[in-house]
Amino acid sequence: MLLLALDTATPAVTAALHDGSRVLAAAGEVDARRHGELLLPAVDRVLAEAGHKLAEVTDIVVGVGPGPYTGLRVGLVTAATFGAALDVPVHGLCSLDGIAYASGLTEPFVVATDARRKEVYWARYGDARTRLTEPAVDRPADLADQVAGVPAVGAGALLYDAVFTGVLRDGPAHQSAAALAGLAAQKLAAGEELLPPRPLYLRRPDAQVPANYKVVTPK
């Protein structure tokens, strides 16, 4: 196996290469406005560092979100394009699961990322590998009774630490493709079914077609 992992669901633009046993190389940069500009150079860096060519990749895993519409699609479209060009399978994983796996926690906890609009994407976990609830998007204030004092990781928990009072400040804030690749490799080796590489938005995109737009084409 030579697994290429990508994720652009959070402000982190990240890529990694995994051989089924260990991470060979990883790269990432946090910049919420440059997903499209940064992802392909990150892929080039991990391939060069690991001493492999793109044509050697046997599997691709991509974070499917939840995440903002535009950034999330960069990773998904890139993964789909690589998969089609190389004729290799493309697998999806919930991006929150990658952050959870990176935490290494063995106790129940919460992952929360910044969903903008003063909301968070979040889910509960029994341990670093076991998600207990479906991903959701909510206003932090609406979660106060559920998450107060519960260990929490992720940029959303850090941003709203008055609500996520158990936030672990030394835990992972953003996605790491290295963690995503490690989790995917474990699941594939165990014969577990991964998600299809389709976006998990949880809400409609910001851009909307105007309800009463002016027709300018001739009849």
Side-chain angles (χ1 to χ4, degrees):
M1 172 186 289
L2 192 61
L3 175 70
L4 175 64
L6 313 171
D7 198 293
T8 57
T10 74
V13 182
T14 180
L17 204 62
H18 197 289
D19 69 357
S21 299
R22 64 186 181 92
V23 175
L24 302 178
E29 186 171 344
V30 177
D31 191 327
R33 298 180 180 275
R34 299 172 63 209
H35 292 88
E37 181 181 343
L38 296 173
L39 182 57
L40 289 180
V43 172
D44 287 341
R45 286 198 301 275
V46 299
L47 289 168
E49 182 180 336
H52 286 281
K53 296 185 182 299
L54 183 61
E56 299 175 64
V57 169
T58 62
D59 293 85
I60 296 170
V61 63
V62 61
V64 299
Y69 183 87
T70 304
L72 179 55
R73 286 189 67 84
V74 170
L76 287 162
V77 170
T78 301
T81 301
F82 283 160
L86 301 172
D87 193 23
V88 299
V90 180
H91 313 281
L93 271 181
C94 173
S95 296
L96 299 178
D97 291 358
I99 298 172
Y101 186 74
S103 76
L105 292 171
T106 57
E107 60 184 308
F109 67 103
V110 168
V111 174
T113 61
D114 183 13
R116 305 174 187 172
R117 302 185 192 174
K118 298 182 179 179
E119 294 178 329
V120 292
Y121 297 119
W122 72 289
R124 285 184 173 273
Y125 290 79
D127 55 45
R129 202 180 179 283
T130 308
R131 178 157 44 84
L132 303 176
T133 64
E134 291 299 313
V137 58
D138 289 290
R139 295 179 67 86
D142 296 336
L143 304 175
D145 292 341
Q146 301 180 61
V147 302
V150 177
V153 297
L158 290 166
L159 184 60
Y160 298 103
D161 59 359
V163 173
F164 294 90
T165 56
V167 61
L168 305 176
R169 297 189 178 278
D170 58 349
H174 299 295
Q175 181 62 283
S176 158
L180 198 72
L183 178 59
Q186 282 191 12
K187 286 178 172 290
L188 290 171
E192 296 181 35
E193 186 174 349
L194 276 64
L195 298 174
R198 294 197 292 267
L200 183 62
Y201 291 129
L202 301 188
R203 67 185 183 200
R204 295 177 64 83
D206 292 330
Q208 301 291 333
V209 176
N212 298 305
Y213 60 89
K214 183 179 179 181
V215 177
V216 296
T217 56
K219 293 182 179 181

